[in-house]
Amino acid sequence: MRVGFDNWPPYHYYAGTAAGQKELRGFAVEALTAMLKRLDCKASYVEMPWKRVLHGLSLGSVDIAMEAYFNEDRARYAWFSDAYNPGRSALWIRKSSSYPETDLASWLASGHTLGITKDYYYGAEISELLRRYAAQVSVVNDEQNYGKLVLGRIDGFLGDVLATPWGLKEEGLSDLIVPHTMAVYEAPTFFMFSRKRLSPEFVSAFNRELAEFKATNEYDIIWRRYAPAS
């Protein structure tokens, strides 16, 4: 199986080994590799920009993509597995800050400024909030949100609960930026399969194995390896 991926730790990324070589790691990589092994298949992982991954799925030059959100446009050229990751986003704030609000709508209504990631979809409800409070919303790349928050140019930003801790650790900001306790957004993520390359029967078999896999200790061990300690 030819699996396209872009660099997005901790879902799929290259890490150095003790021997000085590069090894592909990540939550999605380990989960998919384990799943394909159950189906007596192997993966050939090919790094490319995300848009090329999607284009490859539509053409049939790529078999599988990881960590994907469902939408109707993608469903025209790809099958979707059942969900394997809850896909949670959190509001990240300065550790020195204290906000009593219990939901994002109240937090924005209080006048706070929010950073979001360019081209990232947060669901219909959050998107409507972002439109309503557009004057308080800054749209940048992930890492730019970190710096803007530390400098006080925004009061918080939305970030993935797995990817953000890794990014903050990389930038040496783990002790300065923390997640707020409020629930913000949850949208499950899926594996995508090229309709030109794989059959509905394969997807059904994959989903049967996925249900069993998610109930095992192996899945839990992989999750804990990449999830924050909290």
Side-chain angles (χ1 to χ4, degrees):
M1 298 290 178
R2 185 175 167 90
V3 184
F5 76 96
D6 59 351
N7 182 60
W8 192 31
Y11 293 108
H12 23 79
Y13 66 101
Y14 279 111
T17 67
Q21 299 176 331
K22 290 198 304 181
E23 180 180 47
L24 184 61
R25 296 178 183 172
F27 170 69
V29 170
E30 290 197 34
L32 180 60
T33 299
M35 280 298 307
L36 292 179
K37 183 178 180 181
R38 285 169 163 260
L39 294 166
D40 198 27
C41 299
K42 292 183 179 180
S44 172
Y45 291 96
V46 183
E47 187 175 10
M48 62 183 74
W50 178 241
K51 289 185 178 180
R52 279 186 57 198
V53 174
L54 298 179
H55 188 58
L57 284 172
S58 67
L59 295 178
S61 60
V62 172
D63 296 300
I64 303 176
M66 303 177 284
E67 200 58 26
Y69 294 104
F70 176 86
N71 65 44
E72 295 295 340
D73 180 61
R74 293 174 180 176
R76 290 187 297 103
Y77 57 82
W79 311 109
F80 284 79
S81 72
D82 292 337
Y84 72 97
N85 176 13
R88 298 187 183 100
S89 290
L91 173 66
W92 297 80
I93 60 174
R94 289 181 295 275
K95 190 174 184 179
S96 57
S97 299
S98 177
Y99 299 113
E101 294 85 3
T102 58
D103 60 80
L104 188 62
S106 300
W107 190 81
L108 286 167
S110 297
H112 303 305
T113 52
L114 177 70
I116 62 172
T117 301
K118 183 180 179 183
D119 295 330
Y120 193 94
Y121 181 61
Y122 298 97
E125 185 177 344
I126 299 300
S127 295
E128 172 58 25
L129 271 180
L130 300 178
R131 185 198 63 77
R132 192 187 316 164
Y133 294 97
Q136 296 165 225
V137 176
S138 167
V139 184
V140 295
N141 296 323
D142 278 342
E143 294 78 6
Q144 290 175 293
N145 277 321
Y146 305 165
K148 292 185 73 171
L149 181 57
V150 170
L151 294 172
R153 294 176 181 169
I154 56 175
D155 299 311
F157 65 85
L158 299 183
D160 181 85
V161 296
L162 262 65
T164 304
W166 282 66
L168 293 175
K169 182 178 179 181
E170 186 73 18
E171 298 294 326
L173 299 173
S174 299
D175 293 333
L176 299 178
I177 298 175
V178 297
H180 193 283
T181 55
M182 71 170 68
V184 175
Y185 174 62
E186 183 171 311
T189 54
F190 313 86
F191 296 112
M192 290 174 64
F193 308 99
S194 172
R195 285 176 177 259
K196 289 193 173 182
R197 292 281 298 161
L198 298 168
S199 68
E201 291 75 21
F202 174 85
V203 179
S204 295
F206 186 96
N207 285 334
R208 286 194 297 271
E209 293 292 339
L210 178 59
E212 293 184 8
F213 175 60
K214 287 174 65 178
T216 66
N217 286 336
E218 184 181 4
Y219 175 86
D220 292 336
I221 290 170
I222 293 172
W223 174 264
R224 289 195 297 269
R225 186 175 297 141
Y226 295 100
S230 59

